[in-house]
Amino acid sequence: MTFAKDFSTSITSADPIVAALIAAEKKRQHDGLEMIPSESFPSKAVLEALGSVFNNKYSEGYPKKRYYGGNEFVDEVEQLAIDRAKQLFGAEHANVQPYSGSPANAAIYFALLERGDKVMGMSLSQGGHLTHGHSVNFSGKYYSFSQYGVDKETEQIDMDAVRKMAVAEQPKMIISGYTAYPRSIDFKGFAEIATEVGAYSMVDMSHIAGLIAGDSHPSPFPFTDVVMSTTHKTLCGPRGAMILSKKDDPLREKYHPESKLGIAQRIDKAVFPGLQGGPHNHAIAAKAVAFGEALQPSFKIFAKQIVKNAQALAVSLQAEGLRLVSGGTDNHLLLVDLTKLGVTGQQAETALDAACITVNKNTVPYDVRGPFDPSGIRLGTPALTCRGMKEQEMQDIGKWIGTVVKNWNDPAAIEKVRSSVMDLTKQYQMYE
Ligand SMILES: *Cc1c(COP(=O)(O)O)cnc(C)c1O
């Protein structure tokens, strides 16, 4: 009996149980309508890089400065990812090693803040992220967060209110960029407020990075100090993240008078050896592929179509009588307030799941219900746009969603929609 690893048998025969689960998940993704706004379908090339032998290599350190031998190709692929990321966003510095968005945000705080420092971020219940200061998260425990929200009337960010809070609180960092905010973000306004109060400006563009790369949302560059992005949302890359930043530290004298380091060096030290060990080189290779795709002219058309699709979906949902938080969308996502329909976010999510339309329940601003069964659902168009769907499909899908949420208790109505979904998705093959 040989002890050597089997390098040739494919998973189908090597582990039929896991292989069957992969096949089932592939079919689920293909048959249904994936409308969770943080998800997308990367190209086959991205998935191939992820499944490559770069997985096998240890390379603690950075290109040309490693603690391990044998890194000539790892160096090249990481440098390529760095160069492409910088080019894509016009950034001075890029670190492509963060394992995912949450650890990348931790690295930024670790690089620029001390424990207990004051930070401003949007609360989770109004559209922010857990890592922007929620009390159950490390960010809320280790740093002193002041949380802003949206205006109660417009359900949009009121920049005057943000400025007032910043002046009153005098934070060391101000974060913008969200997970459930359907409107365009005034990154320039945030950077100006940060400059005014002597705070670092940080943007978490995880959700909208693809739109920014594709010129369909204003960019936080070059004026923002430090920008985090996941690579697996609208950027359509592998699960992972990156941190882009200025090279120098404009607030060094105020906050780090003893130090010679710029923001770029602080970030690199915080990611490794501050928080992480060996980089995930298979993910970094896949990031390089995804950034290369995003640099192509066709990516701009793709990004534009994501927004067009979201707007077409908005019109269709409103025609069904659904209320959209803030009255519409400027980006890839929509937040639907179901309160008036007498159905909860959980009931809607479950009914839509039964119709093979995947969304997630979500709080709406000033929600009177709790996060486990909130008043809304959040949906988005990136994944469907990856499949090539356009406004006409969005119009149909909006009608179907309206039918399901209004008939969430009627299995026959849901089954009818499910069968229409199947007919539609059959025409959009993926991962052949
Ligand atoms: C998705 C997201 C994150 C976290 O990314 P993970 O990879 O899930 O850890 C952080 N911030 C924002 C705004 C996000 O949308």
Side-chain angles (χ1 to χ4, degrees):
M1 196 176 278
T2 176
F3 58 83
K5 283 285 171 190
D6 179 343
F7 296 121
S8 56
T9 304
S10 86
I11 191 168
T12 327
S13 21
D15 192 331
I17 301 173
V18 174
L21 290 171
I22 294 171
E25 173 62 13
K26 184 171 163 185
K27 181 167 162 28
R28 188 196 67 81
Q29 290 183 13
H30 171 270
D31 290 354
L33 292 171
E34 182 51 69
M35 301 191 75
I36 292 173
S38 47
E39 294 186 17
S40 59
F41 296 121
S43 67
K44 183 179 165 90
V46 166
L47 292 186
E48 279 177 348
L50 267 181
S52 74
V53 293
F54 274 125
N55 175 73
N56 309 345
K57 188 72 193 99
Y58 246 107
S59 62
E60 283 180 0
Y62 288 103
K64 312 273 189 204
K65 287 170 286 191
R66 305 283 185 184
Y67 291 87
Y68 291 83
N71 275 307
E72 58 266 44
F73 304 115
V74 166
D75 277 358
E76 275 194 55
V77 85
E78 182 170 346
Q79 194 57 54
L80 190 62
I82 290 168
D83 294 342
R84 286 179 177 176
K86 285 163 65 177
Q87 189 189 344
L88 193 53
F89 294 100
E92 289 178 18
H93 181 73
N95 186 312
V96 298
Q97 292 193 6
Y99 299 147
S100 215
S102 304
N105 279 344
I108 292 173
Y109 304 157
F110 194 49
L112 298 176
L113 306 174
E114 304 300 324
R115 266 188 82 160
D117 273 349
K118 201 170 259 188
V119 188
M120 258 175 74
M122 187 186 268
S123 63
L124 177 71
S125 61
Q126 302 241 331
H129 190 258
L130 272 172
T131 55
H132 298 182
H134 195 280
S135 58
V136 301
N137 187 260
F138 83 96
S139 56
K141 291 188 194 296
Y142 288 1
Y143 305 98
S144 172
F145 266 84
S146 311
Q147 304 226 281
Y148 60 91
V150 295
D151 179 76
K152 208 162 181 173
E153 284 304 307
T154 62
E155 300 177 305
Q156 302 192 32
I157 295 166
D158 173 354
M159 293 304 283
D160 290 333
V162 170
R163 185 178 167 274
K164 270 197 197 117
M165 185 187 262
V167 169
E169 299 286 338
Q170 293 290 310
K172 191 167 171 179
M173 178 182 281
I174 300 177
I175 305 172
S176 59
Y178 318 104
T179 64
Y181 187 67
R183 292 301 181 172
S184 181
I185 304 168
D186 180 7
F187 290 133
K188 198 147 204 201
F190 272 98
E192 281 164 8
I193 292 169
T195 303
E196 182 185 337
V197 302
Y200 288 110
S201 54
M202 172 186 161
V203 167
D204 180 342
M205 64 172 182
S206 294
H207 257 262
I208 52 173
L211 304 185
I212 292 167
D215 293 339
S216 284
H217 186 288
S219 169
F221 300 95
F223 41 80
T224 306
D225 294 324
V226 56
V227 178
M228 195 288 281
S229 182
T230 54
T231 49
H232 51 275
K233 296 179 184 173
T234 47
L235 265 183
C236 304
R239 300 203 87 79
M242 66 178 148
I243 300 170
L244 304 164
S245 68
K246 290 181 180 165
K247 265 211 167 79
D248 295 333
D249 181 350
L251 296 171
R252 186 190 305 144
E253 264 175 51
K254 179 171 179 183
Y255 292 125
H256 309 106
E258 328 275 68
S259 165
K260 289 197 174 60
L261 302 180
I263 293 185
Q265 290 161 304
R266 288 185 167 275
I267 294 292
D268 284 354
K269 279 174 178 290
V271 171
F272 173 86
L275 279 165
Q276 297 191 169
H280 292 181
N281 294 310
H282 58 311
I284 290 172
K287 287 172 196 178
V289 175
F291 300 158
E293 291 173 1
L295 282 164
Q296 301 304 312
S298 61
F299 195 83
K300 290 200 188 346
I301 301 168
F302 165 70
K304 198 165 277 167
Q305 190 65 47
I306 290 178
V307 177
K308 279 195 210 163
N309 282 351
Q311 288 171 349
L313 185 63
V315 169
S316 179
L317 290 172
Q318 283 171 324
E320 286 293 310
L322 273 59
R323 190 184 90 80
L324 300 183
V325 169
S326 84
T329 179
D330 302 322
N331 58 24
H332 64 301
L333 77 82
L334 305 99
L335 200 53
V336 183
D337 179 1
L338 299 164
T339 307
K340 285 216 178 88
L341 296 178
V343 49
T344 70
Q346 181 63 64
Q347 287 163 339
E349 180 191 298
T350 305
L352 286 164
D353 243 339
C356 291
I357 300 175
T358 313
V359 306
N360 69 279
K361 61 184 178 203
N362 214 96
T363 53
V364 297
Y366 305 97
D367 206 324
V368 291
R369 304 181 58 86
F372 289 107
D373 194 3
S375 301
I377 50 172
R378 186 184 69 149
L379 28 106
T381 53
L384 299 186
T385 310
C386 287
R387 297 184 73 169
M389 293 185 194
K390 290 191 179 158
E391 290 93 327
Q392 179 59 55
E393 286 75 37
M394 298 304 128
Q395 200 183 325
D396 294 342
I397 292 166
K399 278 191 204 140
W400 299 339
I401 291 173
T403 302
V404 172
V405 299
K406 287 183 274 186
N407 299 279
W408 65 275
N409 227 350
D410 176 354
I414 293 173
E415 177 50 34
K416 222 170 141 202
V417 169
R418 200 190 68 91
S419 130
S420 305
V421 168
M422 294 293 145
D423 287 342
L424 175 65
T425 55
K426 244 188 252 149
Q427 303 163 44
Y428 292 90
Q429 294 302 320
M430 2 183 246
Y431 304 128
E432 279 309 288

